[in-house]
């Protein structure tokens, strides 16, 4: 294969990895921000996921170019198709992260610490974990290892789901006692984003799994 | 459901019969070669039983008719080679030049006319050339020579040599034209695309590529000249003459063979048998030339994947 | 794949050209009414394998074949099988279209007449028409049946050769790079024809053009240096090959 | 040229000049060969054209017993040396054939002696003074005239040049060539078919191939030695006969036929054979129905060329004795015969000047035959040429 | 081009159109259901969007097959790439519709009619409109017409956005007066889905625009 | 595109073979240090156009050319331009590798010596080495420089021909289907070489293989029946052609 093409493939992979790591960093910072509602950290997190749609558009364009000019086959083709879908997921995950920050910045100081410590922090931790494992899969070559990563994403995502359900149930219980509706609505909406990000991580992981070993392109 | 017919014993009997008939036919050509070889060889052996083998190849006296006859064929060989050399000196440059013009410069239509025209020269019977040499060329040479004050024989080696050369032109030009045309056009284009002129392309690329074929054509020409009979019988001398002067008369192997076998000597006399000794020498030399030539042309054909020339 | 009916079963097929071991113990089952494409780098033995299936290799003196090629339950290399009759049942189409320099009609009618499939006058015209129709060339030639087949364009010539092959009523048609000498338009016509023909015949085709295998073949076999590396459904081969070599070849990482 | 021209290269001037010179050299060679051909043909036509006519003298011929006893008495004595002896010798025969002539006297155009003919054609001649006077008188009286030379085409050889013709040599040629083709054609084509279609690549086929190529280039005179040694000395076939000559030429023609037939067979593309085999045909079917029909025009062309070649061959026939003096046409292949080129050779060696024009005329006849044959070959090749 | 390939392309297009029309039908039924909180209608809507992930997986597989076996170029390639992303959007839109129904069934009877009549119905109407125009684009060939459709989707989607903002603002205003927090939270969450569906319609429209006329693959 | 430097400007180029109008008023600007691919169906005039650029068409007697081909500011069809010197500056590589039947060394050294670019002994060896290196074949042939060039494999021969062309130090290299006679591995090597060479030379290549144009060309020109239908960046042509004909051609909807 021509070096030109190999390089392009590599570049795409790197760009996706870069966006992925940005996303992870942002979510990690959010986690740190949780601890003392550090608005600066939240805003810092935003800077990791700036201009993402530009970047994904760029990647998509490169992928289309490769499809048009190189007609990749087999694993290369699977990778291109997966990446094409992954950019969608990344874009959503970043949007979710941004919304998370936006929603949380306004309400974080008002939420009781227990809720945060007991649920929000573990949930976000799981989300970060899911993201980390999913993005790591981009650079893993060994089939067993990639399967292992995928399973870890699956576990982390499930945990996120469960924790969010608990938060929801918890708040609902307390809801009668709650005075200001808007605040809680916003908080729940914000926390829901974390769960959604994990969801995306899961999607990314299954797409990468497809790229690596083929089979069904697994969508949920 | 496919079922395959089974093979029975006589299924291909007809094929086999035909095949053996063909093999038989092919064998005849081999028999001919050996026929020639042995018919010459045995009589030549008879001759060498009577006369010295060594003297035959080194002696300069050839006196068949007389008492105590001498058979030193050196002047005969010399005459043969001299006439051959003259013929090639005429045929090679003219033949090659014509071939180059036809294959490289002329239009395909012109070539389609020129080539058969030249090949007429090859189709003319040699007896006709002999007549031409004896009646027209030889007197002309004598006339020219006398006007410049040189003495020339009516049976000069030059006359038969030149005419023989004319006869050989088409052998050289035709085969050379074939091989030159067979040099793939891509080579010419390759050279021209490098900014070479046409003559440079021909001299440096085309001719070297066609060289095996050209050499082969030359060898064939030489072989033709050595074995040529009628021209020399009619236009060259009978006298064995060891000389460098091409205006003198000389004789050749073939002339002496014809002379020996049309004479009225007894068949087993050394005078008659000497024809076979000379024939053997001619056979061996032309055989070698032919084998080399055929080999070269075959290699050339294989190289350019030509089915025929 | 269980639903596919095996037409040709090749068992431990070895082939030598003199000392050169060209096919190394191949085992493969070729399915009825499918197009099977043989792909692989130059010199890997695709044509050699193809020629084993109708014993065209017998014509090369230095060839030695071991193993079995079982067609409809009969090994064509059995002693009691006449190779000429094998070629009658297993038709072959070549890279360079090679119509006989006879009329279009005679091109098609010649072999059936020789084999006694039809008699002159009785059924011959019908067979010719039907064969030319099946080869999708009837409309183009029906008015010029008496003209020489060599006067047709390359693509038409190739379809004429296919018609000629069909006329002998074979079960299997072998094709050795049938379109590599043709322009893209003709190529497409032949490809469409092959898709049509597979309804009635079993087709095995060699191609250098991977895209062609992708386009038309149901099954694809990848050869490399005389070995059968991978044999599977075409989609599988192109999207998810199991062998690294196959993947490298189809992605263009090696010739 | 201006300096802005980036494609300006002064060194090219010299190279272009060289190129031009080279082209002129090759053109010159070609012109030289064609000039040779022209001179040659012109020379033959000039030398041979006068043989179209022959001189006749009007004299009174008396058919009586004396004439039968001695043809010298048939005409007036003073004309005797001016008339062709051979023609006079025919007078007794004429009377025998036509007895009503007996006793009559007729004024006839009688064939003149060759020297008279030479005189009339203004060549070098040898006539003594007395005869010369008679001749001049005859000429003055318009009793000497040139007429179309039918004798040349209707008679065989003769010791009198004016009475000699090409016919017996022509018949001899036909007989000889018939033998040649009957032998060489089947053997040659069969050999070619074997080599191209049936033989396997092994030492035997290679040997055959080299052998045939060599045979094609062996000097023709050596075939004569073969004929002499085998046909005449071993098999005891009649010397000088068309049979021996034909067999000798057959062996010579064989390689030409084999080589050209092979080329024709080889020009049938392998794909045709493959197509045949792939349709389930046997080898013989493929060769018989497809290969040979396609190669046939080429094979025929080769045969005709071989024939033409054999027709012009002289040397081996001289060796097997076909230069005998044959006044009457042979009627079978076992009889002594001569062929046209041999006849020409014989005439060319005669001292009489009149034979020269006959030789030249014979050459023209021979050449026109050859050219017709070759044209036929070219025509066949063009007509049946298959483009692949 | 081989008929085989043309047919496959057509089949993919049809499948996507079919999912799209199902989605439209579902959302129309929801609209009808709004009027008298007809739970049957809501459930009926669900049946239009069953087994979608199966269907999209199938489409994706077909697209990959075409990419692998036919190496499409130019507009065919753009279509394949767009469809690959559109299946994602459709999947999400269907999930949103399902969640909408699930969320709304529980609360619809309790929401005051004014809110629904003034905001929810127009919003859902716009959503349906956006979907209709977007899906219609699949079968439009004329460039001008497709551009027109796209603009209509844009307008409808904007309207949906605005209406949702109004609902939110309205509810927030009333929030102090509201007793039961959970109900409103759920309602807002549910109505938010409608806005999201319109969002997806927008994405689909821009992907189809790219497929038809090329240029940037426009993502938001 | 504004940043591209024009190397060859073709203006209103018309070409006739006898009466046949083969190129219809072409206008195109070919850029320096780019690979431009000419694509189009068979017989559309790609090769004809290519040969116009170094006046190889002059060798065909029936050809008549009108219009301008301006290379570096000079119209090569001007009266005062010697076509031999044009071919020196505009190298050409052909479909069939055509090394001279000389040694590898002589193949490369021949033209430079004749042109007086180097003298035997002084600089010739260096030039040969350098040219072979640039053509990416030095390592394969450095030990067999005295052996005939015709003994190399097809792909090596083609690279030798490229080396030979480079040795004359041209500005532009024209290539007419340089890989269509080669196997995939060799093809890839040549393609990689072309990408390397474009750093120093302007390359115009004809190809039947659309994928090849896609892989290596910066600019692609689509010809049809003697007209230049579309000329643009390769990506543009392959993803978003403006002309219907171009789109139909590259998607395989017509030959
Ligand atoms: N007649 C023959 N004699 C000797 N060796 C042969 C012969 N035909 C083929 N081979 C060798 O057998 C091997 C397989 O050849 P084959 O022609 O089957 O390859 P292929 O896969 O068809 O290649 P291609 O794609 O170039 O047609 C090659 O190494 C070739 O050199
Ligand atoms: N020497 C010639 N004499 C006459 N016509 C010619 C000649 N060379 C080409 N043509 C014609 O000019 C047209 C263009 O030919 P050209 O070879 O340039 O096409 P091409 O695009 O290179 O085709 P291909 O892809 O088959 O090489 C064709 O119609 C062809 O028949
Ligand atoms: Mg093959
Ligand atoms: Mg071309
Ligand atoms: O060609 P010759 O018959 O004179 O040997």
């Amino acid at each position: 294969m021509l070096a030109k093409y190999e390089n392009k493939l590599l570049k795409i992979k790197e760009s996706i990895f870069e966006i992925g790591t940005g996303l992870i960093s942002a979510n990690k910072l959010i986690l740190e921000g949780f601890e003392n509602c550090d608005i600066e950290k939240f805003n810092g997190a935003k800077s990791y996921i700036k201009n993402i749609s530009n970047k994904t558009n760029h990647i998509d364009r490169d992928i289309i170019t490769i499809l048009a000019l190189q007609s990749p086959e087999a694993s290369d083709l699977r990778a291109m198709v997966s990446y094409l879908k992954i950019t969608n997921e990344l874009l959503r995950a970043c949007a979710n992260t941004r919304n998370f920050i936006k929603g949380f910045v306004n309400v974080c100081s008002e939420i009781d610490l227990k809720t945060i410590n007991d649920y929000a922090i573990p949930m976000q931790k799981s989300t970060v974990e899911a993201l980390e494992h999913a993005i790591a899969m981009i650079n893993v070559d060994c089939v067993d290892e990639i399967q292992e990563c995928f399973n870890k994403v699956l576990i982390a995502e499930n945990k996120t789901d469960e924790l969010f359900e608990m938060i929801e149930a918890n708040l609902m219980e307390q809801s009668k006692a709650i005075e200001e509706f808007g605040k809680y609505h916003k908080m729940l909406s914000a926390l829901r984003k974390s769960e959604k990000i994990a969801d995306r991580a899961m999607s990314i992981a299954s797409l990468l799994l497809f790229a690596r070993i083929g089979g069904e392109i697994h969508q949920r | 459901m496919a079922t395959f017919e089974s093979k029975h014993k006589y299924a291909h009997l007809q094929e086999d019969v035909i095949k053996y008939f063909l093999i038989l036919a092919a064998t005849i050509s081999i028999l001919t070669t050996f026929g020639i070889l042995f018919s010459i060889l045995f009589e030549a052996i008879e001759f060498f039983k009577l006369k010295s083998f060594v003297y035959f190849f080194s002696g300069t006296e050839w006196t068949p008719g007389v008492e105590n006859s001498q058979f030193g064929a050196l002047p005969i060989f010399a005459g043969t080679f001299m006439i051959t050399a003259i013929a090639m000196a005429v045929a090679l440059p003219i033949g090659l030049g014509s071939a180059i013009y036809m294959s490289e410069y002329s239009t395909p239509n012109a070539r389609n006319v020129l080539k058969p025209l030249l090949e007429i020269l090859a189709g003319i019977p040699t007896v006709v050339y002999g007549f031409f040499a004896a009646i027209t060329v030889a007197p002309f040479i004598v006339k020219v020579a006398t006007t410049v004050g040189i003495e020339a024989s009516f049976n000069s080696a030059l006359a038969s040599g030149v005419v023989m050369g004319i006869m050989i032109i088409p052998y050289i030009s035709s085969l050379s034209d074939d091989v030159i045309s067979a040099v793939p056009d891509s080579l010419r284009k390759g050279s021209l695309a490098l900014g070479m002129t046409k003559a440079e392309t021909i001299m440096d690329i085309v001719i070297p590529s066609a060289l095996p074929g050209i050499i082969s054509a030359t060898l064939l020409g030489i072989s033709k000249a050595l074995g040529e009979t009628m021209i020399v019988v009619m236009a060259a001398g009978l006298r064995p003459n060891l000389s460098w002067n091409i205006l003198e008369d000389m004789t050749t192997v073939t002339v002496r063979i014809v002379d020996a076998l049309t004479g009225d000597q007894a068949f087993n006399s050394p005078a008659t048998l000497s024809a076979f000794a000379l024939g053997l020498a001619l056979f061996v030399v032309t055989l070698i030339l032919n084998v080399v030539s055929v080999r070269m042309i075959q290699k050339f054909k294989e190289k350019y994947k030509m089915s025929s020339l | 794949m269980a639903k596919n009916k095996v037409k040709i079963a090749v068992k431990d097929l070895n082939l030598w050209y003199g000392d050169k071991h060209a096919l190394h113990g191949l085992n493969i089952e070729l399915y009825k009414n499918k197009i099977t494409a043989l792909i692989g780098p130059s010199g890997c033995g695709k044509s050699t394998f193809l020629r084993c299936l109708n014993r065209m290799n017998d014509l090369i003196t230095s060839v030695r074949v071991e193993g079995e090629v079982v067609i409809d339950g009969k090994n064509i290399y059995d002693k009691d099988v006449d190779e000429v009759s094998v070629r009658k049942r297993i038709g072959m189409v070549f890279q360079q279209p090679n119509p006989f320099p006879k009329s279009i009609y005679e091109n098609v009618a010649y072999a059936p007449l020789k084999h006694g499939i039809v008699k002159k006058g009785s059924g011959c015209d019908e067979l010719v028409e039907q064969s030319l129709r099946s080869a999708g060339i009837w409309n183009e030639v029906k008015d010029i049946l008496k003209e020489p087949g060599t006067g047709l364009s390359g693509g038409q010539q190739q379809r004429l050769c296919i018609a000629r092959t069909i006329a002998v009523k074979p079960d299997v048609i072998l094709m050795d790079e049938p379109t590599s000498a043709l322009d893209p338009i003709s190529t497409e016509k032949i490809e469409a024809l092959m898709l049509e023909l597979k309804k009635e015949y079993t087709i095995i085709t060699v191609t250098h053009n991977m895209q062609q295998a992708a386009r038309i073949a149901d099954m694809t076999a990848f050869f490399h240096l005389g070995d059968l590396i991978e044999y599977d459904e075409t989609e599988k081969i192109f999207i998810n090959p199991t062998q690294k070599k196959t993947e490298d070849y189809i992605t263009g990482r090696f010739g | 040229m201006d300096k802005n021209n980036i494609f300006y290269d002064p060194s090219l001037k010299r190279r272009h000049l060289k190129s031009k010179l080279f082209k002129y050299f090759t053109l010159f060679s070609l012109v030289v060969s064609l000039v040779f051909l022209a001179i040659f043909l012109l020379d033959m036509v000039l030398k041979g054209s006068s043989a179209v006519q022959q001189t006749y003298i009007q004299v009174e011929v008396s058919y009586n017993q004396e004439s039968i006893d001695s043809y010298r008495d048939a005409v007036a004595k003073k004309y005797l040396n001016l008339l062709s002896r051979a023609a006079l010798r025919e007078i007794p025969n004429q009377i025998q054939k036509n007895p009503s002539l007996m006793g009559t006297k007729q004024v006839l155009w009688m064939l003149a002696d060759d020297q008279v003919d030479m005189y009339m054609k203004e060549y070098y001649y040898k006539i003594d003074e007395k005869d010369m006077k008679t001749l001049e008188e005859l000429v003055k009286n318009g009793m000497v005239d040139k007429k179309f030379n039918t004798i040349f085409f209707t008679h065989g050889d003769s010791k009198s040049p004016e009475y000699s013709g090409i016919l017996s040599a022509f018949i001899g040629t036909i007989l000889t060539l018939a033998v040649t083709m009957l032998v060489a054609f089947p053997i040659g084509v069969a050999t070619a078919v074997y080599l191209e279609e049936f033989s396997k690549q092994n030492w035997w086929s290679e040997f055959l191939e080299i052998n045939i190529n060599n045979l094609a280039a062996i000097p023709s005179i050596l075939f004569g030695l073969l004929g002499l040694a085998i046909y005449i000395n071993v098999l005891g076939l009649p010397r000088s006969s068309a049979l021996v000559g034909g067999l000798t030429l057959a062996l010579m023609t064989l390689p030409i036929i084999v080589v050209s037939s092979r080329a024709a067979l080889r020009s049938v593309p392998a794909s045709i054979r493959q197509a045949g085999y792939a349709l389930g045909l046997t080898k013989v079917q493929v060769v018989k129905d497809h290969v040979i029909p396609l190669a046939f025009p080429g094979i025929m062309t080769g045969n005709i060329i071989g024939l033409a070649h054999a027709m012009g061959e002289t040397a081996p026939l001289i060796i097997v004795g076909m230069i005998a003096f044959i006044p009457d046409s042979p009627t079978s292949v076992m009889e002594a015969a001569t062929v046209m080129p041999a006849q020409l050779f014989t005439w060319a060696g005669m001292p009489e000047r009149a034979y020269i024009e006959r030789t030249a005329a014979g050459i023209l006849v021979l050449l026109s035959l050859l050219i017709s044959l070759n044209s036929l070959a070219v025509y066949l090749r063009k007509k049946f040429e298959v483009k692949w």
Side-chain angles (χ1 to χ4, degrees), chain B residues 126 227-231, chain D residues 220-221 313-316:
Chain B
T126 47
E228 174 49 41
T229 312
M230 295 318 295
I231 295 176
Chain D
S220 56
I221 191 171
E313 204 50 65
T314 326

Side-chain angles (χ1 to χ4, degrees), chain B residues 90-111:
Chain B
V90 172
L92 195 56
I94 295 182
L96 199 52
S98 309
I100 292 173
Y101 185 83
M102 285 192 295
S103 52
E104 298 292 324
Y105 291 108
S106 78
T107 62
N109 283 339
R111 178 170 178 250

Side-chain angles (χ1 to χ4, degrees), chain A residues 6-218:
Chain A
E6 299 259 28
N7 289 343
K8 249 192 197 153
L9 270 177
L10 225 64
K11 211 185 98 197
I12 289 173
K13 209 164 152 181
E14 270 166 20
S15 298
I16 287 182
F17 188 73
E18 199 188 296
I19 297 175
T21 40
L23 190 60
I24 295 169
S25 306
N27 277 286
K28 272 188 179 158
L29 253 183
I30 290 172
L31 198 54
E32 282 176 29
F34 269 171
E35 281 164 17
N36 40 12
C37 190
D38 188 338
I39 292 185
E40 223 143 89
K41 287 216 166 118
F42 285 140
N43 286 338
K46 261 192 196 164
S47 73
Y48 281 117
I49 47 175
K50 252 192 224 155
N51 274 336
I52 292 300
S53 79
N54 263 0
K55 284 183 194 161
T56 55
N57 273 351
H58 212 276
I59 293 171
D60 284 349
R61 205 167 50 215
D62 280 353
I63 292 174
I64 294 171
T65 308
I66 285 188
L67 287 173
L69 303 189
Q70 326 283 351
S71 308
E73 301 287 359
S75 63
D76 290 341
L77 172 65
R78 295 198 308 265
M80 290 300 102
V81 168
S82 301
Y83 291 169
L84 215 44
K85 283 179 171 283
I86 286 173
T87 54
N88 269 26
E89 304 295 335
L90 283 174
L91 210 55
R92 288 282 154 198
C94 289
N96 287 334
T97 308
R98 253 193 310 275
N99 286 340
F100 190 5
I101 294 166
K102 207 163 85 191
F104 215 81
V105 163
N106 298 331
V107 294
C108 70
S109 54
E110 299 164 27
I111 298 174
D112 78 78
L113 262 174
K114 193 177 172 310
T115 311
I116 290 188
N117 283 339
D118 285 2
Y119 303 107
I121 287 182
M123 181 168 83
Q124 180 67 358
K125 260 192 186 145
S126 287
T127 298
V128 168
E129 219 169 278
L131 274 176
E132 276 179 335
H133 289 303
I135 297 301
M137 282 168 74
I138 294 175
N139 289 323
V140 171
D141 222 39
C142 157
V143 172
D144 291 339
E145 209 174 311
I146 214 164
Q147 191 73 53
E148 204 175 299
C149 281
F150 177 77
N151 291 339
K152 280 182 186 157
V153 178
L154 199 66
I155 292 166
E157 196 263 352
N158 271 340
K159 201 167 153 196
T160 319
D161 263 10
E162 276 164 25
L163 284 169
F164 182 73
E165 263 168 39
M166 280 183 181
I167 293 177
E168 212 173 16
N170 234 5
L171 283 179
M172 287 295 157
E173 241 170 52
Q174 296 170 25
S175 71
K176 284 197 183 119
I178 286 164
E179 291 134 44
E180 221 166 334
F181 158 71
K183 193 182 79 183
Y184 284 91
H185 170 66
K186 275 186 185 154
M187 190 182 72
L188 251 188
S189 293
L191 284 176
R192 168 134 199 124
K193 303 299 183 225
S194 180
E195 189 252 318
K196 294 221 159 164
I197 294 165
D199 240 35
R200 302 288 174 250
M202 188 60 222
S203 283
I204 291 171
S206 50
L207 285 165
L208 287 172
L209 193 69
F210 168 75
R212 184 65 192 84
I213 63 171
E216 283 286 285
I217 194 166
H218 190 63

Side-chain angles (χ1 to χ4, degrees), chain D residues 14 35 53 63 121 148 155 165 219 243 268 283 288 324:
Chain D
R14 196 175 37 84
V35 164
Q53 291 190 318
Y63 294 102
K121 289 173 182 166
F148 180 71
H155 284 70
L243 180 63
V268 176
K283 194 155 200 165
K288 197 172 68 148

Side-chain angles (χ1 to χ4, degrees), chain B residues 137-154 156 158 245-248:
Chain B
V137 180
F140 176 73
I141 287 175
V142 172
K143 208 159 134 198
V144 173
T146 23
T147 44
V148 264
I150 319 171
E151 201 182 323
S153 159
F154 271 97
S156 66
L158 185 61
N245 186 351
I246 55 174
L247 293 175
E248 283 179 29

Side-chain angles (χ1 to χ4, degrees), chain B residues 15 23 25-26 29-30 33 35 94 98 124-125 128 131-132 135-136 166 195 199-200 203 261 267 290 295 307, chain D residues 15 19 22 26-27 30 33 36 40 43 47 191 194 207-208 210-211 214 217 225-226 233 266 282 284 312 363:
Chain B
E15 308 248 322
I23 292 180
S29 72
I30 298 219
T33 309
I94 295 182
S98 309
I124 295 172
V128 177
F131 179 70
F132 180 63
I135 301 296
T136 308
I166 297 171
E200 285 165 348
M203 291 302 290
L261 292 175
F267 188 79
N290 295 341
R295 272 290 152 102
S307 61
Chain D
R15 289 165 59 194
S19 193
F22 181 77
T26 61
L27 180 59
L30 184 69
S33 354
F36 271 139
F40 171 81
D43 188 42
K47 288 210 164 68
T191 306
Y194 174 72
F207 178 63
L208 263 175
I210 292 175
N211 176 62
N214 281 324
L225 295 186
L226 168 83
N233 286 351
R266 214 175 305 155
T282 63
V284 168
I363 284 173

